[in-house]
């Protein structure tokens, strides 16, 4: 099954107060995404050399005891997933979720999400929060967003992202979720790849982290440079499921067969919905 996201030009007008609320919602997500992990990592380290060192020691002991929790389903919080701030984030772009077929909760699902992007805002809104009513559109399904495992090494930030239902994109983590006795687990994997991704992986091997280049607008002015993303609508379309037999040791031919079915279904999904999302009819989907 594929999940395709497209961008289109904004067409709606909003009151000034509503624009400010939405900008705050979008900006807090940017600041959290960029700075929460490094900030608390530095804070835990610095407090070790102050009179408040017991706080850092206590947390580090807790971190050691709790280390495997991300690979065992984490700690989802419906209170976090249902906060009003996510509806402001949704409306800023806005972000939409389109259902094209029923997904019965009597089985598990693995969804490939395209494109990856930098902050994956559309996927966060649609699968990690209830801002677009995922549980009403797909009753009985429990969504998980599989992300880079290294994010769960960051103090405090790991606990925050686990509350959204985020999990490491590792075999141990996915095996745990998909082997649960309760069916209806839906793991969303953000698929990446291109020569830029290869450069990032090479840089990561050398430096330990992946670089990225991005820019946006100012918080108070749309014409100035800043960290606030541009308000370009994002539409996520969930496609029809592709039944795949369970195999402990699939052959290469089987893998190639279902991979071809997936690419065909993803291309068809793009063609069916691109014009309604503001994408020119002449635009074609390119696989890299």
């Amino acid at each position: 099954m594929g999940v395709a996201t497209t961008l289109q030009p904004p067409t709606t007008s909003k009151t000034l107060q509503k624009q400010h609320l939405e900008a705050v919602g979008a900006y807090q997500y940017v600041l959290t995404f960029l700075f929460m992990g490094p900030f608390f990592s530095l804070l835990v380290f610095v407090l070790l050399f102050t009179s408040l060192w017991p706080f850092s020691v206590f947390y580090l002991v807790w971190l050691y005891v709790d280390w495997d929790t991300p690979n065992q389903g984490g700690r989802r919080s419906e209170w976090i997933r249902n906060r009003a701030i996510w509806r402001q984030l949704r409306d800023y772009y806005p972000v939409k979720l389109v259902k094209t077929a029923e997904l019965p909760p009597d089985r598990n699902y693995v969804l490939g999400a395209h494109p990856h992007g930098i902050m994956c805002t559309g996927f966060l809104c649609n699968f990690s929060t209830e801002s677009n009513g995922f549980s009403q559109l797909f009753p009985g399904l429990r969504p998980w967003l599989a992300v880079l495992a290294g994010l769960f090494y960051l103090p405090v930030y790991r606990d925050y992202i686990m509350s959204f239902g985020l999990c490491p994109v590792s075999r141990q983590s996915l095996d745990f979720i998909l082997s649960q006795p309760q069916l209806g687990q839906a793991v969303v994997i953000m698929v990446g790849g291109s020569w830029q991704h290869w450069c990032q992986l090479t840089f990561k091997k050398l430096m330990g982290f992946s670089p990225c280049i991005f820019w946006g607008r100012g918080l108070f002015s749309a014409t100035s440079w800043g960290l606030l993303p541009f308000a370009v609508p994002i539409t996520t379309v969930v496609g029809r499921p592709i039944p795949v037999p369970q195999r402990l040791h699939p052959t290469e031919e089987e893998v190639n067969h279902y991979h071809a079915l997936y690419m065909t279904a993803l291309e068809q999904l793009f063609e069916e919905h691109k014009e309604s999302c503001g994408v020119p009819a002449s635009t074609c989907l390119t696989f890299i």
Side-chain angles (χ1 to χ4, degrees), residues 15-26:
T15 66
L16 187 60
Q17 181 182 14
K18 176 62 174 173
Q19 291 180 34
H20 288 165
L21 289 174
E22 293 173 4
V24 170

Side-chain angles (χ1 to χ4, degrees), residues 132-153:
N132 269 326
F134 179 90
S135 61
Q136 283 74 46
L137 277 176
F138 302 99
L141 294 192
R142 188 177 177 87
W144 304 85
L145 195 59
V147 299
L148 185 68
L151 296 177
F152 296 90
Y153 301 155

Side-chain angles (χ1 to χ4, degrees), residues 1 101-109 138-141 183-185 241:
M1 169 186 307
E102 294 295 332
L103 302 183
D106 60 351
R107 66 202 69 176
N108 293 331
Y109 300 90
F138 302 99
L141 294 192
L183 298 178
Q185 311 296 333

Side-chain angles (χ1 to χ4, degrees), residues 71-89:
N71 288 315
Q72 298 175 354
R75 282 186 297 272
R76 180 189 302 259
S77 168
E78 294 305 321
W79 183 83
I80 292 291
R81 289 169 50 85
N82 283 278
R83 291 304 84 204
I85 193 70
W86 307 124
R87 293 191 289 275
Q88 301 297 345
L89 174 64

Side-chain angles (χ1 to χ4, degrees), residues 26-49:
Y27 204 62
Q28 64 83 28
Y29 175 57
V30 173
L31 295 180
T32 300
F33 179 85
L34 293 178
F35 302 116
M36 186 176 182
F39 171 79
F40 280 103
S41 297
L42 182 61
L43 181 63
V44 169
F45 176 75
V46 170
L47 289 182
L48 288 171
F49 303 96

Side-chain angles (χ1 to χ4, degrees), residues 14 57 223 233 261 279:
K14 305 169 184 175
V57 172
T223 59
L261 289 180
V279 178

